[in-house]
Amino acid sequence: MASDIEIARKAGIKPIAEIAENLQIPFDKLELYGKYKAKLPLDLIDSEKAREGKLVLVSAISPTPAGEGKTTISIGLSEGLNRIGKQTTVVLREPSLGPVFGIKGGATGGGYSQVIPMEDINLHFTGDFAAIEKANNLLAALIDNNIQNNGRSLNIDPRTVHWKRVMDMNDRSLRNIIVGLGGTTSGIPRETGFNITAASEIMAILCLAEDFHDLKERIGNIFVGYTFDKKPVFARDLNAQGAMAALLKEAIKPNLVQTLESNPAIIHGGPFANIAQGTNSVLATKMGLSLSDYVVTEAGFGFDLGAEKFLDIKCVSADLKPQAAVLVATVRALKYHGEVPVPDLNNPNVEAVKQGIENLEKHVENMRKFNVCPVVAINRFVSDTDEEIAVVKEKCKELGVKVAVADVWAKGGEGAEELAHLVAEAAESCTSEMTPLYDWNWSVEKKIETIAKEIYGAKAIDYTAQAKKDLKVVEELGLGNKAVCIAKTQKSLSDNPKLLGRPENFVVTVREIEIAAGAGFIVPITGNIMRMPGLPGTPAAENIDIDDDGVISGLF
């Protein structure tokens, strides 16, 4: 069986101008990055047309460590919709180098359901992550420079600065560092650290900004810390927003590429869903809706993470209304939630599927809490048996939810045609309108409690002393009316990665709350979630190579 990169390399890739022509984009509007990638100018967005398009959200049950193929299904579904006559663009996030070199690998799909050029997208692409990293680190440099510079100092108390530098790599050694060592000319020593670029507030801001003006205003609203006399300091106080926005001049524009079946794909932004909002940019979604009749988009990890944030944060902020939602389930993940060890997931085990099916049941319940019309997609693996798949279908019938087996890894769009018909039917006949779970004007505690109890299934919330102190700061700054973006493990509905299936009677512990005033939300951090991941014992990077002719191998 050919690898993902071999399949991608053998594909008949077309010049990006041909893909743009199918979307009726004039050639002179394209900002080319070689033959097969292009930036799209923001004036292609038609707000009125975007409101008329059909938006389909793809999410998943709680995943195994390797993920359940949301991106693969999203791409395959878009191929299937195009096959049945629905003009469709898939709109995705950009891959982070952390997972590419870590455990999950790339994020361009798999098998015969991929976006291409695969190597370019998975590595540096069009430089958006680098621009976000530079903008983030410029603010860090300006903060430390102001602390050092007595002549123009804002009198910032270094102990109150929580803004960290970022890099797009899994590197646990950088979680906690000391800067300013080396004498008085090298700065004021203080403790700080690095986050991964996908967790940067700049990434969140880029993905929620509606235009350049909004981008700059959001950057200016970034909360930096306090002065020694307890006055809050924002990025605008450092006059940082102009230069930071200038670094994002090209990064704010969505990127156009193509699928293996030569259909359009827009890829832009890449926040993680366990530590950020987990969805592509508002501009990319509206661009897709402006240029095609259907947009298929995904939200990271399970419905409890990316989809909740997509619906409660992105959709509320940008006034988006998805017409249908697809829940990706795999037999492998259901066996995992039925307490089967990862090395044994390929072995048939009907009883484990029955035991783990409660995880799917809870996610379907959650979908209905938002008043969206659900469809379940069973992402088929070679190891799945008919008996195991029958268990999933029977549960979906019991729950009254439409279900289709999608064999997109092996068959591409052809393997998603049944799913495409169900999704199109749901999108065009659904009479309900998406309703967010909470009102942003509720108290912070009520918003957190609503998500934890309604979506996770928690019985109570516990706040550490630090979290209580952080709550007080949020209220003092007048930020209590912002959305909440809970940082939580993706491995469980709870904040404990070891509680699989459908845990009950657990307590969610909020250990601290970070402020993302520019993005427009606050970040309650639960459990042991880290905003700078580490590499696994055997990183994927060890299998990646390039030969004397510049041909890359080992990407997946």
Side-chain angles (χ1 to χ4, degrees), residues 68 133-134 178 221 226 277 332 353 532:
E68 301 321 302
E133 184 178 298
K134 297 298 183 293
I178 297 175
N221 287 338
Y226 287 97
Q277 78 263 40
R332 287 169 50 86
V353 175
M532 169 53 87

Side-chain angles (χ1 to χ4, degrees), residues 323-344:
Q323 280 72 38
V326 176
L327 186 73
V328 178
T330 65
V331 167
R332 287 169 50 86
L334 293 172
K335 286 188 284 193
Y336 179 70
H337 288 287
E339 300 184 0
V340 173
V342 172
D344 299 330

Side-chain angles (χ1 to χ4, degrees), residues 19 56 122 175 220 235 261 287 320 328 341-342 345 354 419 525 527 530:
I19 306 300
V56 178
N122 273 321
R175 286 174 186 160
E261 296 181 19
M287 182 75 74
L320 293 168
V328 178
V342 172
L345 291 179
K354 290 179 180 178
L419 176 63
I525 298 178
M530 298 286 186

Side-chain angles (χ1 to χ4, degrees), residues 309-332:
K309 294 165 184 175
F310 178 93
L311 298 167
D312 278 330
I313 299 176
K314 178 176 178 176
C315 287
V316 173
S317 176
D319 192 26
L320 293 168
K321 300 284 185 182
Q323 280 72 38
V326 176
L327 186 73
V328 178
T330 65
V331 167
R332 287 169 50 86

Side-chain angles (χ1 to χ4, degrees), residues 12 103 166 201 251 283 294 360 398 535:
I103 190 169
V166 299
E201 187 179 351
L283 291 169
Y294 273 73
L360 179 147
E398 179 186 319
L535 288 170

